[in-house]
Amino acid sequence: MVIDLRSDTVTQPTAAMLEAMMHAKVGDDVFGEDPTVNQLEEKCAQLLGMDGAMFCPSGTMTNQIGIKVLTQAYDEVICYKGSHIYKYEGGGLAGNSNVSVRLLNGDRGRLSVTEIESNINNSKDAHQAHTSVVALENTVVREAGSFYTLDQIKLVSEFARSKNLKMHLDGARLFNALTETKDNGAEYGKYFDTISICLSKGLGAPVGSILAFKKEFELKARRMRKAFGGGMRQAGFLAAAGIYALDNHIHRLKEDHKKAKALGDALKNSSWVKSVMPADTNIVLFEVASSLTPEKVLTKLNEHHIKALPFSQTEIRLVTHLDFTDDMLNKAINTFKKISF
Ligand SMILES: *Cc1c(COP(=O)(O)O)cnc(C)c1O
């Protein structure tokens, strides 16, 4: 048995999900004729309180299109310094949107009005890039899945709009955040112009992300998806997995969160661990003891059939998911107790 905790993207589709995919009614989605894609897009628009939504192959594409439709070349985007759009999308913002970024520290990645306010450029000064977007991430992957409440988001959004800034959300793990806050996802539409969510993370679909948008951005978003090469044909087979995931896998995310907390607690008590960030959702991030390196620890974990991800010079990341069972949790915790260096 291999216990793969590198990411919540490693899951296999369940038998029931595959069954739903097999029976999907499909058509050519570039012509807008795939009924299952259309159903998924309508469902997501509703879930997020947005005017429309668009199915894409990846969350990187939905983020990149989101920023593209909200900016012009030479603009500046305000985001957390460890945000996925900046750090993990291959420099896409520079290449795709020709924008600069203003990187903020945040409170475990959560941006405040005060910090944003002091980082908006003077739009009348020709020296300075034109600040046009605030991009938030919820949950924040680089900060062990910390999350915003809707009240925090409302404050940021109302302030940003008072400064004529657009709002983008990287909600790759938005449903993990909603599981903890019990906020209604449909309220999110009030506070953002574009929202990206991933179906292939904790929700367990094999492929797919959604960009939800306000009506005014739909045409440009669909044109950009074509330009980026993301227009798919009989994509309904994949969309069916997404619909199945939204209907069946949201309610169980709390199980992943419980398991992440249990892993975090076990790590806190291990001699080879220096510190553990609070596991607020399904991500555990810890620093190895000063005498060790992530590589050394990962080699030892591998010997015990546990896979994890090196996350910096000193940190290792674990992510819980649909295929991480109670049995695996017990085995992982026992291994953490057992190993020494
Ligand atoms: C995974 C992830 C994405 C999108 O990743 P893809 O692998 O391109 O689907 C975007 N934002 C965050 C925070 C993520 O964790």
Side-chain angles (χ1 to χ4, degrees), residues 114-338:
T114 322
E115 204 182 356
I116 292 168
E117 186 166 27
S118 55
N119 283 282
I120 300 172
N121 290 334
N122 177 357
S123 59
K124 301 207 169 65
D125 179 351
H127 294 88
Q128 301 182 25
H130 176 240
T131 308
S132 59
V133 173
V134 174
L136 305 183
E137 191 173 301
N138 199 18
T139 66
V140 185
V141 63
R142 190 68 193 74
E143 298 287 342
S146 58
F147 56 83
Y148 290 86
T149 64
L150 193 66
D151 288 338
Q152 291 170 317
I153 281 180
K154 179 172 188 271
L155 287 176
V156 169
S157 172
E158 284 174 352
F159 172 74
R161 288 188 166 152
S162 76
K163 299 289 175 189
N164 284 319
L165 305 179
K166 298 281 193 289
M167 292 286 296
H168 172 75
L169 176 68
D170 178 354
R173 295 186 182 80
L174 177 60
F175 291 103
N176 294 86
L178 296 177
T179 296
E180 293 301 318
T181 62
K182 310 274 195 304
D183 290 325
N184 177 3
E187 297 283 307
Y188 267 68
K190 288 187 201 156
Y191 304 117
F192 292 96
D193 299 286
T194 48
I195 298 178
S196 160
I197 60 167
C198 285
L199 303 164
S200 59
K201 297 272 166 82
L203 297 183
V207 176
S209 287
I210 289 285
L211 184 69
F213 33 63
K214 294 274 174 251
K215 191 77 198 154
E216 62 191 291
F217 301 113
E218 171 152 19
L219 180 60
K220 189 168 177 199
R222 292 196 181 273
R223 181 173 288 125
M224 285 307 119
R225 182 179 67 174
K226 197 81 192 91
F228 288 175
M232 297 184 285
R233 302 293 177 174
Q234 283 72 26
F237 294 115
L238 298 174
I243 293 170
Y244 183 89
L246 289 166
D247 287 342
N248 296 281
H249 292 166
I250 292 179
H251 72 90
R252 57 154 307 286
L253 289 172
K254 57 180 183 286
E255 304 300 322
D256 295 347
H257 298 188
K258 250 193 251 166
K259 289 187 180 112
K261 279 205 171 50
L263 288 174
D265 288 341
L267 287 166
K268 261 180 229 154
N269 298 318
S270 302
S271 61
W272 46 277
V273 172
K274 186 169 168 186
S275 64
V276 185
M277 227 183 247
D280 289 347
T281 50
N282 72 328
I283 302 176
V284 185
L285 200 56
F286 67 94
E287 254 193 293
V288 301
S290 326
S291 56
L292 295 169
T293 61
E295 287 63 38
K296 271 192 193 141
V297 172
L298 290 170
T299 305
K300 181 83 84 182
L301 290 175
N302 263 316
E303 286 165 16
H304 291 84
H305 312 290
I306 296 173
K307 291 189 185 180
L309 206 67
F311 221 52
S312 73
Q313 306 281 48
T314 55
E315 292 167 296
I316 290 177
R317 185 186 85 171
L318 309 170
V319 189
T320 59
H321 53 72
L322 194 58
D323 291 352
F324 179 56
T325 62
D326 288 330
D327 249 17
M328 291 177 180
L329 174 65
N330 290 332
K331 184 160 180 265
I333 288 174
N334 286 333
T335 306
F336 295 163
K337 283 187 186 148
K338 199 163 65 184

Side-chain angles (χ1 to χ4, degrees), residues 59-60 63 82-89 137 141 170 201:
T60 298
N63 276 332
S83 59
H84 198 280
I85 56 167
Y86 167 66
K87 219 172 146 80
Y88 302 109
E89 299 190 0
E137 191 173 301
V141 63
D170 178 354
K201 297 272 166 82

